């Protein structure tokens, strides 16, 4: 397991962590100021300042992208809706490619309409079928341009509105169904389809260690950290800073690295009432300190 | 699958559903008024009116108990704490026996102190060990008095503070480890140790159908219903009335009954902002109507 205590070279900042800090250019400047080497930006933040400006800043600051957030949201009520989702995912792949991201993260979606608070269906099985088909179609294009897709299993409390893929096991079943691995051992390259492991979503899973091992080096495309607060006051926006909650992050990172993962540890914190209200320099200084001590 | 449309003979009311209605005697009177044949009371509600009075009311109203809530909360920081939990579970078994409950439901607990908002440990593995040992010790006593124990896997959003058992698969692994089944086929009797299946906690699980089938008739000790609201505004107390959310309850009930379950369908709704504010007659009339149409 890598020693993170001496520096923060393996720290990446998911730019959602700094949603309180203003536009993306300001966020990227702050990251550069703190010696951050990698980020993972959200599409809406990129769109707000423009892809051209974003790409220029990424280049001038010498930033790597540990991921690009996000594709997915495949399920829909009809063919037109499914087509719209596929088109949007194709654009997401293109954007990820323009920024030379390690992978495009997929939050796969679930019951159509649920994210807007008005579910039009309660058929989780139909949603799972749409997700399978949507990933398969997107993967074909993603392979053609060389952009790995990382399925992110979300916590089961998001099963209705954000993702009907809720465990690493389930994500790996999807990977194996859509993109079977060759029988020969991996050459160490990233697979075109794999998983994003976010400790917030999967820390509770009794099968976690085994499924991380099963994923292996080629299917582990991203590793996200934050913490589970006790109590958690909001289902979406009350994530904690690493060390402030109950997740044994080093234990999980140990498993991920034992399986061969050697990429960035990406901090992704949604926190309307706490971290998004603090100055970006305080947030980043805290991310760095915690990265070195409790991740 | 049983037809529930013609009557509500298989409806049970978990008395937490009527927490807004006052003391347990008032709740039981209301249940009797609505022709409810079964209930599942909580220990604090029983204690508040006294066991003797409760037992007399249960008898005079001719009520069956589909379960008794609850034992569990096994993990602790030291031997004294573990002993306290075991003593308390022994009392819970005795109370369940006095009321002739079908089973004692176990909410197993997790990180010590977390339920009070102050976790004293983040070692989920230690918590799981305490849970294993606590169930094993309690089962020995429960068997001696003939009271089945039903492990209730809770939704993973309660993994820190309420239960470190979060899937039916995990609960069944515990059952098999603590109380292995004989190789011969079941005689149809309830096992001394099994699971309580609450749709709220497990509806998202991609392995749900297979694990319900694996549980089989003898391990399926209780079936609880309510609904998952979109959006869900509170992690604990925003459960929905059946039909108001996105859980495909009949599909899950179909699986449970295909596995041999033939007991009550127990309504358990925690809802501080909605159902607990309504008159008990409205709540019960709605439970009955929904039981007949959407369960």
């Amino acid at each position: 397991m890598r020693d993170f205590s001496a520096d923060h070279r393996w720290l990446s900042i998911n730019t959602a962590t700094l949603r309180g800090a203003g536009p993306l250019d300001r966020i990227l400047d702050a990251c550069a100021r703190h010696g951050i080497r990698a980020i993972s930006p959200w599409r809406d933040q990129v769109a707000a300042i423009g892809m051209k400006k974003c790409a220029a800043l990424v280049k001038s600051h010498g930033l790597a992208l540990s991921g690009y957030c996000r594709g997915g949201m495949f399920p829909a009520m009809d063919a037109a809706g499914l087509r719209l989702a596929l088109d949007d995912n194709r654009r997401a792949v293109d954007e990820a490619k323009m920024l030379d991201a390690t992978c495009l993260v997929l939050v796969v979606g679930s019951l159509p309409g649920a994210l807007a608070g008005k579910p039009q269906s309660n058929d989780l099985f139909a949603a799972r079928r749409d997700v399978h088909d949507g990933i398969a179609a997107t993967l074909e294009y993603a392979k053609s341009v060389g952009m790995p897709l990382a399925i992110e299993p979300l916590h089961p409390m998001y099963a209705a509105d954000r993702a009907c893929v809720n465990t690493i096991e389930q994500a790996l079943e999807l990977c194996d169904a859509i993109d079977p691995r060759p029988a020969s051992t991996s050459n160490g390259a990233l697979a075109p389809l794999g998983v994003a492991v976010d400790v917030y979503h999967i820390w509770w899973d009794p099968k976690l260690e085994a499924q991380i091992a099963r994923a292996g080096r080629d299917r582990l495309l991203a590793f996200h950290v934050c913490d589970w607060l006790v109590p958690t006051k909001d289902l979406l926006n009350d994530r904690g800073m690493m060390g402030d909650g109950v997740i044994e992050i080093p234990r999980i990172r140990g498993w991920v690295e034992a399986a061969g993962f050697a990429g960035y540890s990406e901090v992704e914190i949604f926190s309307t009432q706490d971290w998004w209200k603090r100055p970006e320099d305080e947030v980043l200084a805290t991310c760095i300190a915690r990265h070195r001590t409790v991740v």
Side-chain angles (χ1 to χ4, degrees), chain A:
Chain A
M1 188 165 160
R2 293 172 291 176
D3 177 8
F4 281 179
S5 69
D7 55 55
H8 60 281
R9 60 181 303 182
W10 292 111
L11 170 64
S12 171
I13 297 294
N14 184 296
T15 58
T17 305
L18 294 168
R19 278 208 182 268
L24 190 60
D25 49 346
R26 185 178 164 118
I27 293 172
L28 299 193
D29 289 347
C31 286
R33 215 160 50 233
H34 286 264
I36 306 288
R37 300 200 309 151
I39 58 161
S40 183
W42 281 66
R43 293 182 73 195
D44 65 293
Q45 292 175 309
V46 173
I49 66 165
M51 172 57 77
K52 197 173 164 184
K53 183 171 181 180
C54 177
L57 275 172
V58 163
K59 191 174 178 188
S60 64
H61 287 319
L63 292 166
L65 262 73
S66 57
Y68 188 60
C69 294
R70 57 175 166 68
M73 296 291 161
F74 295 107
M77 290 307 287
D78 53 31
L82 294 170
R83 168 53 52 197
L84 276 176
L86 290 184
D87 290 348
D88 189 58
N89 274 277
R90 192 174 167 124
R91 283 191 297 275
V93 169
D94 288 337
E95 292 167 27
K97 193 70 191 170
M98 283 181 231
L99 295 169
D100 198 20
T102 302
C103 58
L104 173 65
V105 173
L106 300 181
V107 172
V108 298
S110 191
L111 305 175
L115 193 58
K118 302 224 176 288
Q120 297 163 340
S121 156
N122 67 351
D123 190 342
L124 202 56
F125 290 76
R128 289 176 185 155
R129 281 192 298 274
D130 286 351
V131 165
H132 173 282
D133 296 349
I135 294 175
T138 302
L139 183 64
E140 200 170 335
Y141 179 66
K143 275 182 173 176
S144 76
V145 303
M147 177 50 58
L149 300 180
I151 302 172
E152 183 169 8
L154 292 203
H155 195 286
M157 68 185 172
Y158 307 121
D161 50 6
R162 285 185 162 75
C164 58
V165 173
N166 305 103
T167 63
I168 296 181
E169 181 176 30
Q170 187 186 9
L172 291 175
E173 297 288 337
L174 260 176
C175 290
D176 290 347
I178 296 171
D179 182 56
R181 285 188 275 203
S184 65
T185 53
S186 161
N187 62 2
L190 296 185
L193 183 62
V195 297
V197 173
D198 184 321
V199 298
Y200 191 74
H201 296 304
I202 48 75
W203 71 277
W204 58 272
D205 186 350
K207 303 179 81 175
L208 186 55
E209 182 177 8
Q211 293 300 319
I212 286 173
R214 171 187 167 190
R217 179 173 185 163
D218 54 338
R219 290 267 199 235
L220 290 170
L221 304 187
F223 180 62
H224 298 179
V225 297
C226 67
D227 215 334
W228 181 275
L229 298 178
V230 175
T232 290
K233 293 173 187 160
D234 183 88
L235 272 77
L236 184 61
N237 290 316
D238 193 26
R239 297 193 189 188
M241 178 63 67
M242 302 80 73
D244 289 346
V246 297
I247 303 177
E248 284 196 291
I249 301 173
R251 195 195 293 243
I252 300 174
R253 180 163 76 86
W255 295 335
V256 167
E257 296 196 9
F261 180 79
Y264 288 96
S265 176
E266 176 182 322
V267 178
E268 184 178 36
I269 300 174
F270 304 164
S271 171
T272 43
Q273 298 307 309
D274 188 353
W275 294 100
W276 288 1
K277 289 186 169 173
R278 304 200 197 190
E280 64 266 34
D281 287 317
E282 180 189 348
V283 177
L284 288 174
T286 309
C287 287
I288 291 167
R290 300 297 177 84
H291 175 84
R292 293 175 62 166
T293 51
V294 297
V295 171

